[in-house]
Amino acid sequence: MSALTVQVAGPLTTVQDLGRPGFAALGVSGSGALDRGALRLANRLVGNAEETAGLEITVGPFAGVGDRDVWIAVTGAWGRVSVGGRPIDPNHPAFVPAGAALEIGPAEHGLRYYLAVSGGWDVDPVLGSRSTDLLSGIGPAAVRDGDQIPIGESHPAAIPALDVAPWSPPEAGTVTVPLIVGPRADWFAASSLERLFTGTWALGSASNRVGARLEGTPLERSAAAHARGELPSEGMVAGALQVPPSGLPTVLLADHPTTGGYPVIAVMASGALDMFAQLRPGQSLRFRHARL
Amino acid sequence: MSALHAVGDSAVLIDCDDLDAVLALHAALSGAPPDGIVDVVPAARTVLVSFDPAILPADRVAGWIRSTPPTPPGARADADELTLDVQYSGEDLAEVAALLSLSEREVVNAHTASVWRVAFVGFAPGFGYLVTDSPRLVVPRRSSPRTSVPAGSVALAGEHTGVYPRASPGGWQILGRTDARLWDQDATPPALLTPGRVVRFREVS
């Protein structure tokens, strides 16, 4: 079995595929890559099926050496990526000979790199997925320095040649995120619901794969909601803006708890989750009403 | 059934009148869902249905939910009672007895005499929140949670009883231990306690 030996795992590197849907009623969240588009692209670039497991490298740095010739692609965040000391382009397949050092520097644009290898990262699946779920502890442990990550058999088809890379780095300025109001918007004062859309928010530093805290002016519950007391726990989805008593929303991400007791004022349009996953702590964002 | 609320573009939340209605609707919707339904998640007073709008558009999901009759309790596959053997020697048994002004024996008897049902699963994979019709053992969580509660711990919090599937931090009041395997990721289903399951606890020494 060939493998990549990890020399530098960085602050958080996990194996992620498209997750583990279908087990939420048993307390298991969907998990999977936070920027799914980036994972799918990385896999396409090296000739894998889109749902193949990749490495989700949060911020970086990351470094490793493989014991077999492979093709790789790095997508998502942009930063300095090199093979054997020579820089390679983002969003582009690159050949990595056995023994050559693959080095990924700290992300300069965006937050999460995706590293796909021809053949995929061949860790054991759990409930149909190779994803690390940091909340429930299901799937492989987070990658550590010295780990050997097995590389699967690649199929014999040629890696497609690619001369044009029509991708740009993740947005650096203020981004606009489409939101769908509800299901519990009626728990909030009308002025707070309005402020959700007119205010500017910033991604908090207390953010991980479970959820991302937003900083801004706290949202207030309506007088009627105060009289109602607490909401009984209900099912949650990735992209939900849960509002705890502090009034500052938490955006639930892939490893979110399957149920929660704070009212959800609005939910991000599912197409915006990938972009959201690339926001950097402190980056500002605004919300607009999504067209359904 | 009352209101359906959109939860973003890929899920819908259904308000139910009570837990019986939740479990009847959950059983009906999770029986043979159409392609495109991803998850059906029961909770205290709601059922959440998530779907892939590329396969099944939201209006068809709503139509399917409205046209599916709830499954009555007796007709469900989970109608068989599950018995869990418990050694009632938990760290918090004395504290629970004191909180309820009962003897430890009376606490154990109340726990084993009740017929429990899994209302929903949350907190951790396979962690069922069990309820009983006339709860006698209603206690608050511990004021400071333990950093590690062993797997198999049988515990109380609020009106619920539950069993820790794996060692984890936790604030529930521990009554005892069971050797039953609550979570097995290679089993189908991986959780022993699934929503709607009827459970009795039996004292063993």
Side-chain angles (χ1 to χ4, degrees):
Chain A
M1 169 69 80
S2 35
L4 178 90
T5 300
V6 176
Q7 294 156 321
V8 178
L12 176 65
T13 296
T14 57
V15 177
Q16 298 294 337
D17 53 20
L18 296 182
R20 168 169 312 111
F23 296 98
L26 303 182
V28 179
S29 221
S31 194
L34 292 188
D35 182 348
R36 289 171 190 239
L39 174 68
R40 290 173 190 270
L41 171 63
N43 278 319
R44 286 203 303 276
L45 290 172
V46 297
N48 290 340
E50 289 191 345
E51 65 273 18
T52 304
L55 287 184
E56 181 177 275
I57 298 166
T58 310
V59 185
F62 177 90
V65 176
D67 59 6
R68 177 181 104 197
D69 293 356
V70 289
W71 286 85
I72 61 140
V74 179
T75 61
W78 284 28
R80 186 189 151 85
V81 181
S82 64
V83 172
R86 298 161 67 124
I88 64 165
D89 288 333
N91 299 343
H92 207 284
F95 180 72
V96 183
L102 167 65
E103 293 174 294
I104 299 177
E108 291 157 23
H109 299 274
L111 195 68
R112 294 179 169 98
Y113 293 104
Y114 291 85
L115 169 59
V117 62
S118 49
W121 303 109
D122 195 16
V123 299
D124 290 334
V126 177
L127 302 177
S129 167
R130 295 178 166 82
S131 294
T132 298
D133 180 338
L134 291 175
L135 184 75
S136 69
I138 287 178
V143 176
R144 284 163 306 215
D145 292 357
D147 279 0
Q148 295 208 311
I149 310 176
I151 301 172
E153 287 301 313
S154 57
H155 64 82
I159 301 299
L162 191 75
D163 290 313
V164 179
W167 295 287
S168 49
E171 288 285 337
T174 302
V175 300
T176 302
V177 177
L179 275 190
I180 298 149
V181 168
R184 301 297 177 199
D186 61 343
W187 280 60
F188 296 89
S191 57
S192 282
L193 186 58
E194 192 186 326
R195 196 167 63 242
L196 178 64
F197 289 94
T198 55
T200 299
W201 299 86
L203 189 76
S205 51
S207 300
N208 53 32
R209 286 185 44 83
V210 175
R213 199 79 55 83
L214 298 183
E215 288 164 3
T217 308
L219 304 173
E220 283 157 27
R221 292 193 187 177
S222 64
H226 278 297
R228 252 178 264 167
E230 289 306 310
L231 182 73
S233 281
E234 57 192 28
M236 289 288 148
V237 298
L241 270 69
Q242 254 202 343
V243 185
S246 74
L248 294 177
T250 295
V251 181
L252 299 182
L253 299 177
D255 293 356
H256 66 87
T258 52
T259 60
Y262 297 135
V264 171
I265 190 170
V267 180
M268 282 167 40
S270 51
L273 283 165
D274 288 0
M275 174 185 71
F276 188 85
Q278 294 297 354
L279 296 183
R280 296 165 70 96
Q283 192 168 349
S284 57
L285 63 152
R286 300 174 65 87
F287 294 112
R288 67 169 171 82
H289 288 277
R291 282 184 293 271
L292 274 181
Chain B
M1 185 192 312
S2 47
L4 295 188
H5 306 274
V7 180
D9 52 29
S10 308
V12 59
L13 189 71
I14 307 137
D15 282 326
C16 296
D17 292 335
D18 54 27
L19 181 63
D20 287 336
V22 168
L23 291 174
L25 184 62
H26 172 260
L29 296 180
S30 52
D35 280 354
I37 298 297
V38 176
D39 273 302
V40 180
V41 186
R45 294 290 178 272
T46 55
V47 176
L48 177 83
V49 176
S50 63
F51 56 94
D52 180 347
I55 300 174
L56 199 65
D59 56 341
R60 290 189 38 210
V61 174
W64 168 67
I65 292 168
R66 292 188 191 286
S67 64
T68 302
T71 309
R76 294 206 289 260
D78 56 21
D80 286 352
E81 228 174 72
L82 173 73
T83 301
L84 293 177
D85 287 340
V86 179
Q87 285 179 288
Y88 285 94
S89 53
E91 292 87 329
D92 300 320
L93 184 56
E95 169 78 11
V96 168
L99 282 167
L100 297 171
S101 303
L102 297 172
S103 67
E104 293 183 17
R105 174 53 33 205
E106 286 169 323
V107 171
V108 173
N109 288 348
H111 200 249
T112 54
S114 301
V115 178
W116 299 88
R117 252 184 330 164
V118 180
F120 55 95
V121 180
F123 171 63
F127 190 103
Y129 286 74
L130 279 65
V131 295
T132 188
D133 284 337
S134 45
R136 281 185 286 164
L137 303 176
V138 180
V139 292
R141 284 161 203 251
R142 286 171 50 81
S143 51
S144 67
R146 289 191 171 87
T147 51
S148 183
V149 175
S153 296
V154 177
L156 293 174
E159 57 168 1
H160 295 113
T161 195
V163 187
Y164 284 78
R166 295 179 306 178
S168 72
W172 290 34
Q173 310 265 9
I174 301 171
L175 296 185
R177 300 256 187 288
T178 178
D179 291 333
R181 196 163 179 194
L182 277 289
W183 180 257
D184 177 357
Q185 64 189 27
D186 299 320
T188 307
L192 188 60
L193 301 182
T194 52
R197 191 79 192 255
V198 175
V199 179
R200 273 181 186 273
F201 296 92
R202 181 167 62 195
E203 185 178 15
V204 295
S205 52

